[in-house]
C-alpha cells in the first residue's frame, strides 16, 4: 500500500478529546510514516457551527488545533498540516461540486439530520457541509481517508459525487476509501456510554470527554466517575457499553489484543479497571500535554508551519481544480499540467 495518498481533517472547534485521538489522530500519525499524508484544519467547516463564529475565536482555535496535532506526533517534515481557508481551491471546488450534487443526498446525511433538528433556522452551509468535505478529499486525489465511524457516510457521499461528476464530465478524481479502525472508531462519552464522545459535549459537560491536554487530576476524576453498570466486576460474558468503552480505551492505548485485555481484567472490580485505564491514559497524554504547552508558547513557529504547509497544499490542489474547470467548460484548456494517475506529484 506504499505510495498511497492519505487525507483527513479536523474541525478547529470544541475540545479535542480521546475519541479524536483514538479514532483519527493516532491513525494519522501512523499513516504519515507509510504514506504521503495531508491533514486539514477545517476552519471553513467550523463556520457551520454558529458558536464558532466569534471574532478571534477561530483563529485562536486553529493555532490550538495545530499545536495539539503536532504534540500528538504529526510531523511537518513528513506530512502537510494546513488550514482550509488558506487554500482557496476548497471553497471553489465545493461550489462546482454542489452543482452536481442532488439536495436529497445531503438531506439524508445523519450528521445533517441530527444537527439541523436542534436548530430553528438551518444555514445552507450546514446542508452543503459534506460537499465541502468531498472537495477537500477530491482536490488531492486521496486514496485513503482515516476517520471515525461518524464520518463514514460523508466519505461514501464523496465517492458518489465523484462518480456523478465523472459520468457527466469525464474522469479526474480518485475514488477515496474510508479507513476505519476495527476498534476505536467510536469512543463513547464517559458520563453517558450511549452517546459518542463529542467535542461540543466535552465543552459543556464535565466528565463527558477526556481532553487531550487535560491535566492528570481532571483525567483521573473523569475516569473514576465513568458510568459503568449495576455490576461490580468485569465478567467474561458482558457487554455493558460503559465497561466495553473502558476496555476499548485500554486495548488501544496498551496495544494489547482484546482477548488479552479481557483476560487481564475478568474477575477484577470496576475500581481496578478504572485505575488501570486512568494510569494508561495519563501516561499516554502527559507527554502530549507537555509538548502542547511548549508549542503553545511559540505562536510564530506554529503559524509558520501552517502557512508553509498551506502553500504546499495550494500547489497540490491547483491542477485538480484547473482540470475540473476545463471539463466543466469554464476553461478552454488546462493551464496547469494535470498530473497523470501514476504520478501524483506531477
Ligand atoms: P471532529 O471532532 O468532528 O472534528 O472529528 C475529527 C475526527 O475524529 C473525525 O475523523 C471523527 O470521525 C473522529 N472522531 C470524533 N469523535 C470520535 C469518537 N467519539 N470516537 C472515534 N473517533 C471520533
Ligand atoms: N467533517 C470532518 C469532521 O467533522 C472534518 C473534515 C473536514 C474531514 N474535511 C475532511 C475529514 C476531509 C476527512 C476528510 O470530523
Amino acid at each position: 500500500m506504499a505510495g498511497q495518498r492519505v487525507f483527513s481533517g479536523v474541525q478547529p472547534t470544541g475540545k479535542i478529546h480521546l475519541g479524536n485521538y483514538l479514532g483519527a489522530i493516532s491513525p494519522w500519525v501512523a499513516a504519515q510514516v507509510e504514506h504521503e499524508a495531508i491533514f486539514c484544519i477545517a476552519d471553513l467547516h467550523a463556520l457551520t457551527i454558529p458558536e464558532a463564529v466569534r471574532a478571534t475565536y477561530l483563529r485562536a482555535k486553529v493555532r490550538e488545533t495545530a499545536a495539539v496535532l503536532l504534540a500528538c506526533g504529526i510531523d511537518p517534515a513528513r506530512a502537510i498540516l494546513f488550514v482550509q481557508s488558506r487554500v482557496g481551491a476548497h471553497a471553489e471546488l465545493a461550489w462546482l461540486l454542489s452543482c452536481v450534487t442532488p439536495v436529497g443526498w445531503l438531506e439524508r446525511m445523519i450528521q445533517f439530520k441530527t444537527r439541523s433538528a436542534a436548530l430553528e433556522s438551518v444555514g445552507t452551509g450546514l446542508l452543503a457541509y459534506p460537499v465541502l468535505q468531498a472537495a477537500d478529499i477530491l482536490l488531492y486525489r486521496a486514496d485513503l481517508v482515516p476517520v471515525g465511524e461518524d464520518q463514514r457516510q460523508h466519505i461514501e457521499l464523496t465517492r458518489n459525487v465523484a462518480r456523478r461528476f465523472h459520468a457527466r464530465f469525464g474522469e479526474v478524481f480518485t475514488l477515496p476509501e474510508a479507513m476505519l479502525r476495527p476498534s476505536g472508531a467510536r469512543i463513547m462519552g464517559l458520563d453517558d456510554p450511549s452517546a459518542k464522545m463529542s467535542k461540543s459535549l466535552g465543552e459543556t459537560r464535565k466528565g463527558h470527554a477526556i481532553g487531550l491536554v487535560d491535566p492528570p487530576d481532571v483525567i483521573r476524576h473523569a475516569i473514576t466517575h465513568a458510568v459503568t453498570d449495576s455490576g461490580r466486576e468485569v465478567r467474561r460474558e458482558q457487554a455493558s457499553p460503559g465497561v466495553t468503552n473502558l476496555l476499548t480505551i485500554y486495548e488501544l492505548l496498551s496495544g494489547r489484543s482484546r482477548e488479552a485485555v479481557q483476560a487481564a481484567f475478568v474477575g477484577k472490580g470496576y475500581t481496578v479497571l478504572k485505575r488501570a485505564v486512568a494510569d494508561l491514559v495519563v501516561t499516554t497524554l502527559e507527554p502530549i500535554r507537555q509538548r502542547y504547552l511548549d508549542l503553545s508558547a511559540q505562536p510564530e513557529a506554529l503559524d509558520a508551519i501552517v502557512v508553509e504547509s498551506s502553500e504546499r497544499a495550494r500547489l497540490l490542489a491547483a491542477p485538480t481544480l484547473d482540470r475540473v474547470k476545463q471539463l466543466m467548460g469554464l476553461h478552454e484548456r488546462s493551464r496547469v499540467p494535470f498530473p497523470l494517475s501514476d504520478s501524483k506529484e506531477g
Side-chain angles (χ1 to χ4, degrees):
M1 298 248 288
Q4 289 193 298
R5 187 176 275 175
V6 168
F7 184 97
S8 198
V10 58
Q11 293 192 68
T13 47
K15 166 166 134 166
I16 300 192
H17 53 67
L18 192 66
N20 296 130
Y21 181 76
L22 296 176
I25 303 171
S26 122
W28 298 0
V29 172
Q32 70 182 353
V33 178
E34 276 182 73
H35 302 293
E36 185 186 355
I38 307 172
F39 303 117
C40 168
I41 300 177
D43 55 351
L44 296 176
H45 275 108
L47 295 176
T48 61
I49 301 170
E51 309 83 72
V53 191
R54 273 182 269 131
T56 74
Y57 174 86
L58 263 183
R59 255 180 295 141
K61 275 296 201 185
V62 165
R63 215 181 251 157
E64 184 185 314
T65 305
V68 172
L69 294 177
L70 293 167
C72 287
I74 299 296
D75 176 359
R78 290 182 183 272
I80 293 182
L81 174 62
F82 77 99
V83 179
Q84 193 180 29
S85 64
R86 289 186 167 273
V87 183
H90 290 253
E92 211 175 331
L93 183 62
W95 171 257
L96 301 175
L97 294 179
S98 76
C99 295
V100 299
T101 309
V103 170
W105 289 6
L106 301 174
E107 285 168 340
R108 277 201 288 278
M109 292 294 109
I110 294 161
Q111 198 174 74
F112 172 72
K113 287 200 262 189
T114 319
R115 289 203 181 153
S116 59
L119 298 173
E120 231 167 72
S121 154
V122 177
T124 305
L126 192 63
L127 180 66
Y129 179 111
V131 182
L132 178 59
Q133 186 163 345
D136 296 344
I137 299 166
L138 296 175
L139 265 180
Y140 300 94
R141 297 184 304 131
D143 304 287
L144 300 171
V145 188
V147 282
E149 173 61 39
D150 60 341
Q151 296 300 317
R152 186 202 288 273
Q153 201 187 23
H154 290 163
I155 314 305
E156 202 42 54
L157 181 100
T158 300
R159 293 169 63 89
N160 291 334
V161 170
R163 283 200 194 95
R164 202 169 158 99
F165 185 96
H166 289 169
R168 285 207 187 159
F169 300 106
E171 301 271 328
V172 49
F173 302 122
T174 298
L175 293 190
E177 279 190 35
M179 202 175 141
L180 270 86
R181 278 192 121 161
S183 160
R186 192 172 165 83
I187 299 294
M188 310 310 279
L190 294 181
D191 62 341
D192 173 9
S194 68
K196 178 192 83 144
M197 188 178 283
S198 94
K199 286 215 204 101
S200 50
L201 290 179
E203 290 236 305
T204 53
R205 273 188 358 214
K206 233 175 127 222
H208 169 79
I210 297 173
L212 288 192
V213 295
D214 278 351
D217 57 322
V218 173
I219 294 175
R220 286 188 190 281
H221 189 268
I223 295 174
T224 308
H225 291 87
V227 170
T228 47
D229 55 39
S230 57
R232 303 183 54 153
E233 59 179 42
V234 180
R235 281 157 284 154
R236 192 163 295 283
E237 300 302 329
Q238 73 156 310
S240 88
V243 176
T244 302
N245 198 36
L246 292 173
L247 290 170
T248 302
I249 293 171
Y250 193 92
E251 174 195 337
L252 294 171
L253 292 180
S254 66
R256 290 162 70 183
S257 72
R258 184 52 161 245
E259 294 70 42
V261 170
Q262 193 96 24
F265 288 106
V266 164
K268 304 249 165 68
Y270 291 159
T271 325
V272 175
L273 172 65
K274 285 178 170 179
R275 194 171 308 127
V277 172
D279 286 345
L280 193 52
V281 171
V282 167
T283 314
T284 309
L285 296 189
E286 193 47 21
I288 293 178
R289 189 169 79 98
Q290 291 304 333
R291 281 198 293 277
Y292 168 79
L293 293 174
D294 284 351
L295 288 161
S296 303
Q298 309 167 52
E300 292 83 11
L302 287 174
D303 290 353
I305 288 170
V306 295
V307 167
E308 197 262 339
S309 270
S310 302
E311 193 54 50
R312 285 159 64 201
R314 220 174 284 148
L315 293 175
L316 290 175
T320 311
L321 179 63
D322 196 71
R323 179 74 173 156
V324 168
K325 286 173 150 180
Q326 186 202 356
L327 290 170
M328 293 182 100
L330 296 163
H331 282 175
E332 273 303 315
R333 70 193 142 79
S334 189
R335 289 173 305 188
V336 187
F338 185 65
L340 296 170
S341 55
D342 60 347
S343 138
K344 287 196 169 141
E345 298 292 348

